[in-house]
Amino acid sequence: DQQVKQNSPSLSVQEGRISILNCDYTNSMFDYFLWYKKYPAEGPTFLISISSIKDKNEDGRFTVFLNKSAKHLSLHIVPSQPGDSAVYFCAAFYDGGYQKVTFGTGTKLQVIP
Amino acid sequence: KAGVTQTPRYLIKTRGQQVTLSCSPISGHRSVSWYQQTPGQGLQFLFEYFSETQRNKGNFPGRFSGRQFSNSRSEMNVSTLELGDSALYLCASSPTPDRVNEQFFGPGTRLTVL
């Protein structure tokens, strides 16, 4: 049972344009959400997070939006750069429970120069 | 400050064998989590250790086990390897279990089971 879903396995975007990565979750207990970026042969690195009490969080070119009623979050990257090409994982967390941090299956972003 | 290190980086084993993977967390981090990454499955949580105690365990068979030492270093063991155990095993450390946005991952150990 995949509680965090990233339905797009891949995404291609032109350099300078906006990249939008989507993530859906099913467990309403989740109260904290994170995005990670992963390059080949490296572990994931933390990118940005959002608490369920907010609906938006920005950090430079990266903005995460949370729609709790729809159980949906998205990561916007503006403007996209070739160095952003990586696999992006969304993850959800609530303190307690069987699984601590639940990850999605990842979306591979390719930014075309 | 040195990052999370994992050894070995690559491992090839045959079915039925057992394997031990090692993880050294960032200095000062006392929480260590292990994940399995396979194509199409994302990162699946294996277990989490904090102060030498297993705090959480994911939905994996008992062949998967782990431990944490007093210096916060952690090992995971997989016994009676199966072909489906081929995966990237990632270790992550954080200062304490609740500080997930300060969780840093190691580069992983790529395990291939033949």
Side-chain angles (χ1 to χ4, degrees):
Chain A
D1 175 30
Q2 194 70 31
Q3 295 188 57
V4 179
K5 299 177 185 179
Q6 294 176 257
N7 292 318
S8 299
S10 62
L11 176 68
S12 288
V13 171
Q14 286 291 131
E15 180 179 4
R17 306 294 289 269
I18 183 171
S19 295
I20 300 177
L21 295 93
N22 294 304
C23 179
D24 297 294
Y25 62 96
T26 57
N27 191 339
S28 57
M29 298 275 294
F30 291 136
D31 57 10
Y32 196 76
F33 304 89
L34 310 96
W35 283 94
Y36 288 85
K37 180 166 77 172
K38 185 181 185 300
Y39 293 117
E42 294 182 14
T45 54
F46 169 74
L47 198 55
I48 191 170
S49 62
I50 187 167
S51 163
S52 61
I53 62 172
K54 295 185 174 181
D55 54 18
K56 178 182 172 182
N57 188 26
E58 278 183 86
D59 185 1
R61 296 186 297 114
F62 301 91
T63 303
V64 56
F65 295 91
L66 175 62
N67 182 333
K68 281 193 301 183
S69 60
K71 295 192 177 67
H72 176 84
L73 63 155
S74 61
L75 173 68
H76 292 210
I77 306 173
V78 184
S80 301
Q81 299 173 354
D84 296 330
S85 297
V87 177
Y88 289 78
F89 291 96
C90 72
F93 164 80
Y94 67 98
D95 200 3
Y98 193 55
Q99 188 153 342
K100 177 96 180 297
V101 179
T102 305
F103 282 81
T105 51
T107 296
K108 184 174 183 179
L109 173 66
Q110 181 184 24
V111 180
I112 303 165
Chain B
K1 160 156 117 166
V4 179
T5 58
Q6 292 187 246
T7 56
R9 291 293 309 278
Y10 301 92
L11 206 48
I12 299 175
K13 292 284 188 179
T14 56
R15 278 183 301 174
Q17 288 187 306
Q18 76 163 20
V19 67
T20 299
L21 312 181
S22 180
C23 171
S24 292
I26 290 172
S27 177
H29 284 195
R30 294 185 293 146
S31 177
V32 174
S33 297
W34 288 88
Y35 296 87
Q36 181 196 66
Q37 185 190 1
T38 53
Q41 292 294 314
L43 277 70
Q44 302 288 315
F45 173 76
L46 280 156
F47 23 67
E48 180 199 15
Y49 288 89
F50 177 63
S51 295
E52 300 178 68
T53 301
Q54 188 180 86
R55 203 170 164 267
N56 271 309
K57 189 178 192 303
N59 191 21
F60 278 82
R63 301 185 296 107
F64 291 81
S65 63
R67 58 178 175 168
Q68 187 180 33
F69 301 95
S70 58
N71 62 358
S72 295
R73 191 177 70 85
S74 178
E75 288 181 347
M76 69 163 278
N77 185 277
V78 188
S79 62
T80 321
L81 283 165
E82 300 177 359
L83 294 178
D85 296 332
S86 294
L88 180 67
Y89 290 88
L90 291 159
C91 160
S93 76
S94 59
T96 53
D98 58 318
R99 291 160 72 174
V100 290
N101 61 335
E102 296 174 66
Q103 188 178 61
F104 290 88
F105 281 83
T109 294
R110 172 72 63 184
L111 172 64
T112 301
V113 182
L114 303 175

